PDB file of all heavy atoms in Angstrom:
ATOM      1  N   LEU A 322     -68.317  48.927 -10.203  1.00 97.00           N
ATOM      2  CA  LEU A 322     -67.576  47.820 -10.824  1.00 97.00           C
ATOM      3  C   LEU A 322     -68.380  47.010 -11.707  1.00 97.00           C
ATOM      4  O   LEU A 322     -67.976  46.643 -12.804  1.00 97.00           O
ATOM      5  CB  LEU A 322     -66.818  46.953  -9.657  1.00 97.00           C
ATOM      6  CG  LEU A 322     -65.577  46.375 -10.180  1.00 97.00           C
ATOM      7  CD1 LEU A 322     -64.594  47.276 -10.732  1.00 97.00           C
ATOM      8  CD2 LEU A 322     -64.956  45.696  -8.998  1.00 97.00           C
ATOM      9  N   GLU A 323     -69.666  46.744 -11.339  1.00 97.00           N
ATOM     10  CA  GLU A 323     -70.611  45.960 -12.119  1.00 97.00           C
ATOM     11  C   GLU A 323     -70.838  46.718 -13.419  1.00 97.00           C
ATOM     12  O   GLU A 323     -70.957  46.127 -14.525  1.00 97.00           O
ATOM     13  CB  GLU A 323     -71.840  45.602 -11.346  1.00 97.00           C
ATOM     14  CG  GLU A 323     -72.581  44.535 -12.037  1.00 97.00           C
ATOM     15  CD  GLU A 323     -71.773  43.284 -12.574  1.00 97.00           C
ATOM     16  OE1 GLU A 323     -71.016  42.785 -11.788  1.00 97.00           O
ATOM     17  OE2 GLU A 323     -71.993  42.848 -13.707  1.00 97.00           O
ATOM     18  N   ASP A 324     -70.986  48.106 -13.337  1.00 98.00           N
ATOM     19  CA  ASP A 324     -71.227  48.858 -14.640  1.00 98.00           C
ATOM     20  C   ASP A 324     -69.981  48.875 -15.480  1.00 98.00           C
ATOM     21  O   ASP A 324     -70.118  48.787 -16.782  1.00 98.00           O
ATOM     22  CB  ASP A 324     -71.654  50.294 -14.264  1.00 98.00           C
ATOM     23  CG  ASP A 324     -73.103  50.295 -13.789  1.00 98.00           C
ATOM     24  OD1 ASP A 324     -73.936  49.389 -14.019  1.00 98.00           O
ATOM     25  OD2 ASP A 324     -73.470  51.359 -13.391  1.00 98.00           O
ATOM     26  N   VAL A 325     -68.856  48.872 -14.892  1.00 98.00           N
ATOM     27  CA  VAL A 325     -67.565  48.837 -15.607  1.00 98.00           C
ATOM     28  C   VAL A 325     -67.535  47.453 -16.361  1.00 98.00           C
ATOM     29  O   VAL A 325     -67.231  47.498 -17.555  1.00 98.00           O
ATOM     30  CB  VAL A 325     -66.308  49.002 -14.683  1.00 98.00           C
ATOM     31  CG1 VAL A 325     -65.141  48.811 -15.490  1.00 98.00           C
ATOM     32  CG2 VAL A 325     -66.342  50.440 -14.074  1.00 98.00           C
ATOM     33  N   ARG A 326     -67.942  46.547 -15.689  1.00 97.00           N
ATOM     34  CA  ARG A 326     -67.910  45.185 -16.395  1.00 97.00           C
ATOM     35  C   ARG A 326     -68.822  45.157 -17.465  1.00 97.00           C
ATOM     36  O   ARG A 326     -68.538  44.575 -18.518  1.00 97.00           O
ATOM     37  CB  ARG A 326     -68.416  44.127 -15.306  1.00 97.00           C
ATOM     38  CG  ARG A 326     -68.296  42.606 -15.731  1.00 97.00           C
ATOM     39  CD  ARG A 326     -68.798  41.681 -14.772  1.00 97.00           C
ATOM     40  NE  ARG A 326     -68.316  41.924 -13.297  1.00 97.00           N
ATOM     41  CZ  ARG A 326     -67.145  41.722 -12.883  1.00 97.00           C
ATOM     42  NH1 ARG A 326     -66.139  41.199 -13.608  1.00 97.00           N
ATOM     43  NH2 ARG A 326     -66.825  41.984 -11.666  1.00 97.00           N
ATOM     44  N   ARG A 327     -69.985  45.755 -17.414  1.00 98.00           N
ATOM     45  CA  ARG A 327     -71.039  45.822 -18.466  1.00 98.00           C
ATOM     46  C   ARG A 327     -70.529  46.650 -19.675  1.00 98.00           C
ATOM     47  O   ARG A 327     -70.698  46.311 -20.862  1.00 98.00           O
ATOM     48  CB  ARG A 327     -72.370  46.252 -17.960  1.00 98.00           C
ATOM     49  CG  ARG A 327     -72.966  45.305 -17.010  1.00 98.00           C
ATOM     50  CD  ARG A 327     -74.072  45.817 -16.329  1.00 98.00           C
ATOM     51  NE  ARG A 327     -75.184  46.462 -17.107  1.00 98.00           N
ATOM     52  CZ  ARG A 327     -75.988  47.407 -16.766  1.00 98.00           C
ATOM     53  NH1 ARG A 327     -76.022  47.894 -15.536  1.00 98.00           N
ATOM     54  NH2 ARG A 327     -76.871  47.933 -17.595  1.00 98.00           N
ATOM     55  N   LEU A 328     -69.907  47.654 -19.213  1.00 98.00           N
ATOM     56  CA  LEU A 328     -69.480  48.721 -20.307  1.00 98.00           C
ATOM     57  C   LEU A 328     -68.320  48.093 -21.105  1.00 98.00           C
ATOM     58  O   LEU A 328     -68.235  48.275 -22.326  1.00 98.00           O
ATOM     59  CB  LEU A 328     -69.087  50.038 -19.667  1.00 98.00           C
ATOM     60  CG  LEU A 328     -70.122  50.900 -19.157  1.00 98.00           C
ATOM     61  CD1 LEU A 328     -69.620  51.983 -18.389  1.00 98.00           C
ATOM     62  CD2 LEU A 328     -70.895  51.511 -20.339  1.00 98.00           C
ATOM     63  N   LEU A 329     -67.400  47.302 -20.378  1.00 97.00           N
ATOM     64  CA  LEU A 329     -66.256  46.693 -20.973  1.00 97.00           C
ATOM     65  C   LEU A 329     -66.901  45.589 -22.029  1.00 97.00           C
ATOM     66  O   LEU A 329     -66.386  45.570 -23.217  1.00 97.00           O
ATOM     67  CB  LEU A 329     -65.436  45.921 -20.006  1.00 97.00           C
ATOM     68  CG  LEU A 329     -64.172  46.628 -19.471  1.00 97.00           C
ATOM     69  CD1 LEU A 329     -63.558  45.953 -18.399  1.00 97.00           C
ATOM     70  CD2 LEU A 329     -63.252  46.924 -20.605  1.00 97.00           C
ATOM     71  N   ALA A 330     -67.880  44.904 -21.591  1.00 97.00           N
ATOM     72  CA  ALA A 330     -68.515  43.921 -22.529  1.00 97.00           C
ATOM     73  C   ALA A 330     -68.994  44.629 -23.778  1.00 97.00           C
ATOM     74  O   ALA A 330     -68.884  44.076 -24.896  1.00 97.00           O
ATOM     75  CB  ALA A 330     -69.591  43.104 -21.790  1.00 97.00           C
ATOM     76  N   LEU A 331     -69.750  45.730 -23.522  1.00 98.00           N
ATOM     77  CA  LEU A 331     -70.200  46.451 -24.743  1.00 98.00           C
ATOM     78  C   LEU A 331     -69.045  47.009 -25.665  1.00 98.00           C
ATOM     79  O   LEU A 331     -69.231  46.988 -26.852  1.00 98.00           O
ATOM     80  CB  LEU A 331     -71.131  47.529 -24.302  1.00 98.00           C
ATOM     81  CG  LEU A 331     -72.556  47.107 -23.612  1.00 98.00           C
ATOM     82  CD1 LEU A 331     -73.165  48.134 -22.927  1.00 98.00           C
ATOM     83  CD2 LEU A 331     -73.417  46.467 -24.859  1.00 98.00           C
ATOM     84  N   TRP A 332     -68.014  47.496 -24.973  1.00 97.00           N
ATOM     85  CA  TRP A 332     -66.943  48.066 -25.789  1.00 97.00           C
ATOM     86  C   TRP A 332     -66.294  47.034 -26.513  1.00 97.00           C
ATOM     87  O   TRP A 332     -65.843  47.328 -27.672  1.00 97.00           O
ATOM     88  CB  TRP A 332     -65.926  48.637 -24.668  1.00 97.00           C
ATOM     89  CG  TRP A 332     -64.786  49.301 -25.197  1.00 97.00           C
ATOM     90  CD1 TRP A 332     -64.519  50.349 -26.111  1.00 97.00           C
ATOM     91  CD2 TRP A 332     -63.353  49.086 -24.908  1.00 97.00           C
ATOM     92  NE1 TRP A 332     -63.317  50.582 -26.422  1.00 97.00           N
ATOM     93  CE2 TRP A 332     -62.452  49.890 -25.612  1.00 97.00           C
ATOM     94  CE3 TRP A 332     -62.716  48.122 -23.999  1.00 97.00           C
ATOM     95  CZ2 TRP A 332     -61.149  49.918 -25.504  1.00 97.00           C
ATOM     96  CZ3 TRP A 332     -61.429  48.024 -23.975  1.00 97.00           C
ATOM     97  CH2 TRP A 332     -60.564  48.966 -24.689  1.00 97.00           C
ATOM     98  N   ARG A 333     -66.256  45.859 -26.030  1.00 96.00           N
ATOM     99  CA  ARG A 333     -65.606  44.725 -26.813  1.00 96.00           C
ATOM    100  C   ARG A 333     -66.540  44.237 -27.943  1.00 96.00           C
ATOM    101  O   ARG A 333     -65.992  43.590 -28.837  1.00 96.00           O
ATOM    102  CB  ARG A 333     -65.260  43.544 -25.930  1.00 96.00           C
ATOM    103  CG  ARG A 333     -64.042  43.939 -25.000  1.00 96.00           C
ATOM    104  CD  ARG A 333     -63.810  42.914 -23.930  1.00 96.00           C
ATOM    105  NE  ARG A 333     -62.676  43.177 -23.218  1.00 96.00           N
ATOM    106  CZ  ARG A 333     -62.463  42.802 -21.895  1.00 96.00           C
ATOM    107  NH1 ARG A 333     -63.615  42.370 -21.147  1.00 96.00           N
ATOM    108  NH2 ARG A 333     -61.370  43.202 -21.211  1.00 96.00           N
ATOM    109  N   ASP A 334     -67.797  44.427 -27.783  1.00 97.00           N
ATOM    110  CA  ASP A 334     -68.766  43.961 -28.741  1.00 97.00           C
ATOM    111  C   ASP A 334     -69.014  44.960 -29.895  1.00 97.00           C
ATOM    112  O   ASP A 334     -69.825  45.948 -29.509  1.00 97.00           O
ATOM    113  CB  ASP A 334     -70.103  43.570 -27.957  1.00 97.00           C
ATOM    114  CG  ASP A 334     -71.207  43.031 -28.880  1.00 97.00           C
ATOM    115  OD1 ASP A 334     -70.954  42.977 -30.054  1.00 97.00           O
ATOM    116  OD2 ASP A 334     -72.357  42.994 -28.457  1.00 97.00           O
ATOM    117  N   ARG A 335     -68.467  44.767 -30.951  1.00 94.00           N
ATOM    118  CA  ARG A 335     -68.651  45.720 -32.137  1.00 94.00           C
ATOM    119  C   ARG A 335     -70.080  45.750 -32.630  1.00 94.00           C
ATOM    120  O   ARG A 335     -70.425  46.544 -33.258  1.00 94.00           O
ATOM    121  CB  ARG A 335     -67.664  45.447 -33.233  1.00 94.00           C
ATOM    122  CG  ARG A 335     -66.169  45.664 -32.670  1.00 94.00           C
ATOM    123  CD  ARG A 335     -65.983  47.147 -32.310  1.00 94.00           C
ATOM    124  NE  ARG A 335     -64.634  47.270 -31.720  1.00 94.00           N
ATOM    125  CZ  ARG A 335     -64.247  48.341 -31.164  1.00 94.00           C
ATOM    126  NH1 ARG A 335     -65.159  49.316 -30.950  1.00 94.00           N
ATOM    127  NH2 ARG A 335     -63.074  48.534 -30.650  1.00 94.00           N
ATOM    128  N   GLY A 336     -70.806  44.723 -32.315  1.00 96.00           N
ATOM    129  CA  GLY A 336     -72.326  44.679 -32.722  1.00 96.00           C
ATOM    130  C   GLY A 336     -73.169  45.250 -31.685  1.00 96.00           C
ATOM    131  O   GLY A 336     -74.402  44.989 -31.852  1.00 96.00           O
TER     132      GLY A 336
END
Side-chain angles (χ1 to χ4, degrees):
L322 212 49
E323 193 49 44
D324 283 351
V325 173
R326 187 180 317 282
R327 293 168 55 207
L328 288 167
L329 267 173
L331 289 166
W332 182 55
R333 290 172 173 144
D334 177 7
R335 295 298 175 191

